[in-house]
Amino acid sequence: MATAVTLLRAASPGIAGDAGRDGGGSFQCPRLPPKKKLPKKILCSLKYGCLGGVDPADAARTAASPVYSSLTVSPAGDAAVAVVSSEQKVYDVVLKQAALLRRQLRPQQPTATPAREMVEAMPRGGLNEAYARCGEICEEYAKTFYLGTLLMTEERRRAIWAIYVWCRRTDELVDGPNASHITPQALDRWERRLEDLFAGRPYDMLDAALSDTITKFPIDIQPFKDMIDGMRTDLKKARYKNFDELYMYCYYVAGTVGLMSVPVMGIDPESKATAESVYGAALALGLANQLTNILRDVGEDASRGRIYLPQDELAEAGLSDEDIFRGVVSDKWRKFMKRQIKRARMFFEEAERGVTELRKESRWPVWASLLLYRQILDEIEANDYNNFTKRAYVGKAKKVLALPVAYGRSLLLPYSLRSSQS
């Protein structure tokens, strides 16, 4: 009897495709030998292969669990120790954000807080100027996304601009022109400034825009703090031993953006999807975008001594750091890249259903981002997987063509409604 591996079901709809599925709702892992006795430690994940083996009799029971991803299980005799994976840690944050959103959706009287009172005391002209400046920055650095936001209501549009600008400023700390001078202490100061911002004490006009935004939407500080942790990671870490480590990094620097944005984007009033599933899809889009960035920038990162690729998967493919630094496109590299691209696309697929559950006026910029970023993967393939000396990018004509496609998709019914009707 083949060893079955539990699929811990995502909060959002499951991944399409039944490859490897047996009749009992579990998955057969081709890497595991068909033995009754499990090895000491097996790794199995929702999207990437094995993290934990279980008896088939328990598979259906565990597969129904509303857990976003995977656990690492170490069966040893009668005792089994569960080690929480990065995916599960992140899902705990997702649950918290979803709970905040649900509370906000209930009818209630606005609560007076020191932060709200301090922000409301700001001159309205100053706030309008702050939001306008955020819009200018968004338009300058993310033109396609900016165009999509113009369909949103004014309040939501301005809030998204404020979040975008804070994220960009945070990223610039370690990737901008002054990155070589940034220290852990500087990031500590930035985090204290964030806390002041959430308390209604903004430092400058751009902070003031975000400080005002958080009084209007149920936005939690945790994803913002987590993004700063991602910047800390960049200061001290240049290698990732496996995908579990890389997953956490991708969440810190990009998945957090999805969690910040859902309360502003809003969920379609007619949607039957859970808040958790929408947050899960937003997280998946952030992860997909960051994985795409990593695959696009392999050569650029290597020139700075950084390799954002799972070390164990490189070794499995017969590749080493030296192969990355030499920048030779070999058959081994092509095979390795095909696997990485497939993984990124699976995250994009997971994100698609969630986009349809957003408020109709909020979907266009998200669809545009998804479609354009996914095309970068196509360009890497078109470059014969040479991401050492060629930078994959989507040309202006393709960007323009993607906009009406994104708009058309933004008009579709939420996936949860289509499913219920069929």
Side-chain angles (χ1 to χ4, degrees):
M1 178 176 65
T3 304
V5 177
T6 301
L7 174 69
L8 298 178
R9 180 171 56 82
S12 53
I15 293 176
D18 293 319
R21 185 183 292 276
D22 67 12
S26 62
F27 275 66
Q28 300 296 329
C29 178
R31 292 191 181 184
L32 298 182
K35 297 178 180 178
K36 292 183 180 179
K37 187 175 180 181
L38 292 170
K40 286 278 184 180
K41 193 170 194 177
I42 305 171
L43 298 180
C44 180
S45 172
L46 177 67
K47 311 165 188 70
Y48 324 103
C50 260
L51 282 189
V54 296
D55 189 276
D58 298 326
R61 191 165 60 244
T62 312
S65 175
V67 177
Y68 178 74
S69 59
S70 57
L71 298 178
T72 303
V73 182
S74 306
D78 296 329
V81 180
V83 181
V84 179
S85 72
S86 292
E87 293 176 86
Q88 179 58 38
K89 292 175 186 175
V90 172
Y91 187 61
D92 291 340
V93 181
V94 168
L95 290 177
K96 180 182 177 184
Q97 307 310 304
L100 284 172
L101 184 63
R102 282 196 299 272
R103 285 202 296 272
Q104 190 266 350
L105 292 176
R106 298 189 190 116
Q108 56 188 343
Q109 293 296 321
T111 304
T113 64
R116 180 183 292 274
E117 291 171 357
M118 293 178 74
V119 170
E120 289 178 349
M122 297 176 187
R124 299 315 298 174
L127 271 177
N128 288 336
E129 184 182 352
Y131 278 119
R133 180 58 186 143
C134 288
E136 290 170 0
I137 295 172
C138 186
E139 182 180 16
E140 180 179 357
Y141 293 100
K143 290 182 176 63
T144 304
F145 181 77
Y146 170 82
L147 286 174
T149 65
L150 297 181
L151 282 185
M152 301 171 70
T153 64
E154 181 181 14
E155 187 175 61
R156 294 179 191 276
R157 175 170 67 243
R158 300 200 318 173
I160 287 295
W161 292 346
I163 292 172
Y164 171 85
V165 168
W166 185 89
C167 293
R168 181 165 187 86
R169 296 172 87 187
T170 303
D171 183 65
E172 287 273 310
L173 293 175
V174 296
D175 277 339
N178 298 316
S180 59
H181 304 294
I182 294 298
T183 63
Q185 291 73 30
L187 292 176
D188 291 342
R189 289 193 295 273
W190 186 250
E191 184 167 1
R192 289 194 295 272
R193 179 167 159 173
L194 171 71
E195 291 166 351
D196 285 342
L197 182 162
F198 266 75
R201 299 188 297 272
Y203 182 80
D204 60 20
M205 67 185 299
L206 299 179
D207 282 354
L210 183 57
S211 197
D212 182 58
T213 289
I214 64 176
T215 68
K216 298 174 178 176
F217 298 95
I219 299 172
D220 185 41
I221 197 172
Q222 190 61 52
F224 294 83
K225 283 177 168 281
D226 287 345
M227 178 174 276
I228 296 174
D229 277 341
M231 305 305 117
R232 291 190 178 102
T233 302
D234 265 331
L235 293 184
K236 63 186 179 183
K237 194 176 181 70
R239 300 289 187 281
Y240 294 83
K241 64 182 181 181
N242 53 39
F243 187 77
D244 191 66
E245 286 192 357
L246 187 61
Y247 180 98
M248 184 58 78
Y249 172 75
C250 290
Y251 160 69
Y252 280 150
V253 300
T256 49
V257 180
L259 304 192
M260 298 171 193
S261 303
V262 168
V264 177
M265 296 284 188
I267 298 176
D268 192 300
E270 296 182 357
S271 170
K272 296 184 180 299
T274 64
E276 289 87 353
S277 70
V278 178
Y279 270 101
L283 168 66
L285 180 57
L287 297 173
N289 287 347
Q290 184 59 27
L291 288 173
T292 300
N293 282 337
I294 288 171
L295 299 180
R296 179 194 63 194
D297 298 338
V298 168
E300 181 181 328
D301 290 330
S303 68
R304 297 186 296 166
R306 296 182 175 277
I307 298 177
Y308 293 96
L309 299 167
Q311 292 286 301
D312 60 344
E313 294 179 20
L314 282 169
E316 184 182 334
L319 298 165
S320 66
D321 289 359
E322 289 306 312
D323 292 311
I324 306 296
F325 293 134
R326 281 198 297 267
V328 177
V329 181
S330 63
D331 287 341
K332 288 181 180 179
W333 177 251
R334 292 185 183 94
K335 184 177 180 181
F336 172 79
M337 280 301 302
K338 287 177 183 177
R339 178 181 180 185
Q340 304 305 309
I341 288 173
K342 180 179 180 181
R343 171 186 284 150
R345 283 180 173 144
M346 291 175 78
F347 274 115
F348 279 122
E349 290 168 8
E350 186 175 343
E352 281 195 11
R353 291 181 177 180
V355 178
T356 69
E357 309 297 344
L358 297 174
R359 295 183 69 91
K360 186 178 293 186
E361 66 271 17
S362 298
R363 296 175 200 161
W364 192 24
V366 184
W367 269 118
S369 172
L370 189 157
L371 294 176
L372 290 174
Y373 253 83
R374 190 159 56 187
Q375 284 187 56
I376 293 174
L377 299 175
D378 300 336
E379 298 301 324
I380 294 173
E381 292 172 331
N383 288 340
D384 193 29
Y385 305 100
N386 180 3
N387 41 8
F388 299 116
T389 60
K390 293 183 179 180
R391 182 179 175 85
Y393 68 94
V394 180
K396 189 173 182 179
K398 289 183 178 180
K399 287 183 178 180
V400 172
L401 290 173
L403 287 175
V405 176
Y407 181 72
R409 294 197 181 189
S410 73
L411 302 178
L412 297 175
L413 276 175
Y415 184 83
S416 58
L417 291 180
R418 283 179 272 159
S419 299
S420 61
Q421 288 177 0
S422 60

